[in-house]
Amino acid sequence: MKHLLSLNDWSTAEILDTLKLAEKLKTETKSGIEHTHHLKGKTLGLIFTKSSTRTRVSFEVGMTQLGGYPIFLNANDIQLGRGETVHDTAKTLSRYLDGIMIRTFKQSDVEDLAKYGDIPIINGLTDLVHPCQILADLLTIYEHKGELKGLKLAYVGDGNNVANSLLIGCAKVGIHISVATPKGFECDASILNIAKEAAKLTGSNILLTNDPAEAVTNADVIYTDTWISMGQESEKQTKVKVFTPYQVNSKLFSYAKEDAIFLHCLPAYRGYEVTQEIIDGPKSVVFDEAENRLHAQKAVMVKLMGN
Ligand code: CP
Ligand code: NVA
């Protein structure tokens, strides 16, 4: 395990091992047991070319709890934002840092950082995937359901970065996944092929549909995300029209299992992709999910950067 560029890079065993470590680190943190030895003296650079609340804060806090130092690098403040190449940035930062977390637009930039640098690279979201989010989601599902394999997760909404990573993550751990998107907003075709290959090995079923009710029927987990991802602000008007039938509300929830839980990576837009009664209701575990970003990413950092 050298990098986390996409969950595709990781085997089922590596994913499950990381979740196990995340659980252990979470228990230790909750019981006040310090674990600063893991990354003592190590430094992680955090490059952001997009906004963030959860990713930035959970990586900074996580790094501190593990004994290391986070350095926040707003892309506008480093030469990358003025046209220095990813190649030269990777080569230079590799001389100072022990790892880099990057949130940016192009997946190829994250892959180039890994190719040209010689330190671990962690993908903190691109237009294509959001692997750290899905590790936290799997941890949350496991905590609430006591298992992963054989459960059914329904994702309703935009076939975006979060949906793409959910496809891979669910397929790799044997969760059945159904994805309901409007026509023209499906998940990435190459990611779907990767997920289908992984699903063959774990027995996960993948269903793609344009019908939200079909996707949600008998689901254990219902998941949605914003209809307007970062960088798509100008598409808001058109997207809202197309996506309105895909709102997660009480009626849609009634097709799921009685004890189904609701997940959302956040930030959420109440009244659009989800109603307030669902996201603020008893089935919602979105803040456990947000908390688990911290624990899951600490496990990722220990796996990639620990001694
Ligand atoms: N879910 C997530 O990645 O949140 P942020 O954009 O706040 O980091
Ligand atoms: N799909 C969203 C996720 C935000 C965490 C986006 O890319 O903006």
Side-chain angles (χ1 to χ4, degrees):
M1 290 163 88
K2 276 175 142 171
H3 305 288
L4 177 56
L5 310 179
S6 163
L7 282 180
N8 181 37
D9 312 333
W10 284 18
S11 67
T12 298
E14 286 168 338
I15 293 172
L16 295 177
D17 251 27
T18 304
L19 296 179
K20 203 177 277 175
L21 177 59
E23 260 193 301
K24 178 173 175 276
L25 293 170
K26 180 170 182 174
T27 309
E28 288 177 4
T29 306
K30 299 269 179 197
S31 353
I33 300 170
E34 274 200 18
H35 40 224
T36 49
H37 58 282
H38 285 290
L39 296 180
K40 204 166 190 64
K42 303 242 165 144
T43 310
L44 177 76
L46 301 163
I47 303 178
F48 285 89
T49 71
K50 290 176 173 175
S51 308
S52 169
T53 298
R54 280 145 287 270
T55 305
R56 176 178 174 179
V57 178
S58 56
F59 266 105
E60 291 202 21
V61 170
M63 194 62 188
T64 309
Q65 290 179 355
L66 292 168
Y69 304 94
I71 302 185
F72 175 68
L73 300 166
N74 184 331
N76 291 329
D77 301 332
I78 58 173
Q79 300 290 5
L80 185 69
R82 294 181 61 246
E84 185 167 20
T85 61
V86 172
H87 172 275
D88 290 1
T89 305
K91 294 268 181 214
T92 305
L93 292 181
S94 293
R95 303 290 178 106
Y96 308 132
L97 299 170
D98 301 290
I100 296 175
M101 192 263 16
I102 177 164
R103 163 169 291 195
T104 193
F105 293 85
K106 284 158 60 185
Q107 179 69 13
S108 59
D109 283 347
V110 178
E111 283 164 14
D112 283 349
L113 263 188
K115 184 164 145 197
Y116 299 124
D118 36 45
I119 52 177
I121 305 298
I122 301 170
N123 184 340
L125 179 146
T126 60
D127 289 348
L128 188 68
V129 289
H130 196 0
C132 291
Q133 178 66 51
I134 276 54
L135 290 172
D137 299 340
L138 294 176
L139 179 62
T140 310
I141 295 169
Y142 183 74
E143 285 175 347
H144 283 273
K145 295 285 169 196
E147 59 188 339
L148 292 175
K149 201 173 166 61
L151 292 175
K152 175 177 174 179
L153 181 145
Y155 177 91
V156 180
D158 193 13
N160 61 14
N161 42 15
V162 169
N164 286 337
S165 282
L166 274 172
L167 268 177
I168 306 180
C170 287
K172 289 229 174 189
V173 301
I175 294 180
H176 307 305
I177 175 165
S178 50
V179 178
T181 64
K183 283 204 172 67
F185 295 93
E186 290 85 4
C187 288
D188 181 87
S190 61
I191 297 266
L192 179 60
N193 285 334
I194 291 166
K196 280 183 178 164
E197 286 305 308
K200 277 187 202 158
L201 300 174
T202 61
S204 150
N205 297 322
I206 298 177
L207 170 84
L208 305 177
T209 173
N210 301 122
D211 178 1
E214 184 190 10
V216 164
T217 298
N218 280 325
D220 299 283
V221 182
I222 300 184
Y223 199 124
T224 191
D225 182 16
T226 181
W227 296 336
I228 322 291
S229 282
M230 289 179 275
Q232 302 179 340
E233 290 73 12
S234 65
E235 295 165 45
K236 182 167 177 184
Q237 257 194 326
T238 15
K239 284 192 95 175
V240 166
K241 264 194 209 141
V242 178
F243 280 89
T244 297
Y246 292 79
Q247 182 186 67
V248 175
N249 51 35
S250 300
K251 178 158 191 291
L252 188 62
F253 232 90
S254 69
Y255 293 97
K257 285 194 184 148
E258 192 56 41
D259 61 352
I261 54 171
F262 174 72
L263 265 66
H264 188 310
C265 59
L266 305 178
Y269 300 90
R270 289 166 175 76
Y272 289 92
E273 74 273 11
V274 60
T275 55
Q276 184 170 7
E277 58 179 344
I278 293 297
I279 194 167
D280 297 322
K283 298 186 169 181
S284 173
V285 297
V286 297
F287 295 110
D288 291 345
E289 182 186 5
E291 177 186 334
N292 281 336
R293 293 293 302 278
L294 172 68
H295 309 298
Q297 288 159 194
K298 281 170 72 180
V300 170
M301 290 189 280
V302 169
K303 288 273 177 198
L304 297 180
M305 298 167 62
N307 297 316

